[in-house]
Amino acid sequence: MSDAGEEIKVAADVTKGSMTIEEALQEVLKKALINDGLARGIRECVKCIDRRQAQLCVLVETCTEKEYLKLVEALCALHNINLIKVSDAKKLGEWSGLCKIDREGNARKVVGASVVVVRDFGEDSEAMNVLLEHFSTR
């Protein structure tokens, strides 16, 4: 009847230095996608921004329609919503779940996204803190 104290080792999260903005953005978009907190595409995003439901807006710099850029930038400035720009639409589409994942875990049939809005971050994470710190120092 002696208690044999078993030790349970918990693997601690080892951070390799500080997280880059791109890595933090990818993590935040993944968590928001899991929690159904993403709006993808110009129509959904403009509706979210205009209703002030948006927490963060991600816009592609190389968008073919310059009116999209003007509209999203103006609405974000009007409603004081944080805006971050990325370089590639295919990357943003992959990060926001607009792709198929094959058996090996590689993204296939990636659809580009011109704008993505985070309505709900989900759970608090280091990546979210990195992004919020980035916006507060800007």
Side-chain angles (χ1 to χ4, degrees), residues 66-116:
K66 299 301 175 195
E67 290 81 21
Y68 285 4
L69 294 173
K70 289 180 184 177
L71 175 66
V72 172
E73 287 174 350
L75 284 174
C76 286
L78 180 68
H79 297 303
N80 294 326
I81 295 170
N82 293 327
L83 175 68
I84 191 165
K85 292 186 179 181
V86 295
S87 59
D88 189 24
K90 294 282 187 183
K91 265 191 204 175
L92 184 59
E94 182 181 342
W95 293 346
S96 60
L98 294 175
C99 63
K100 299 284 184 187
I101 307 294
D102 65 5
R103 292 181 183 168
E104 289 82 35
N106 300 322
R108 301 280 183 219
K109 297 184 182 180
V110 179
V111 178
S114 59
V115 62
V116 173

Side-chain angles (χ1 to χ4, degrees), residues 16-33:
K16 51 181 185 254
S18 64
M19 195 179 268
T20 65
I21 299 299
E22 190 173 285
E23 291 170 347
L25 180 63
Q26 187 176 1
E27 185 73 25
V28 165
L29 289 176
K30 187 168 79 171
K31 289 197 187 284
L33 179 65

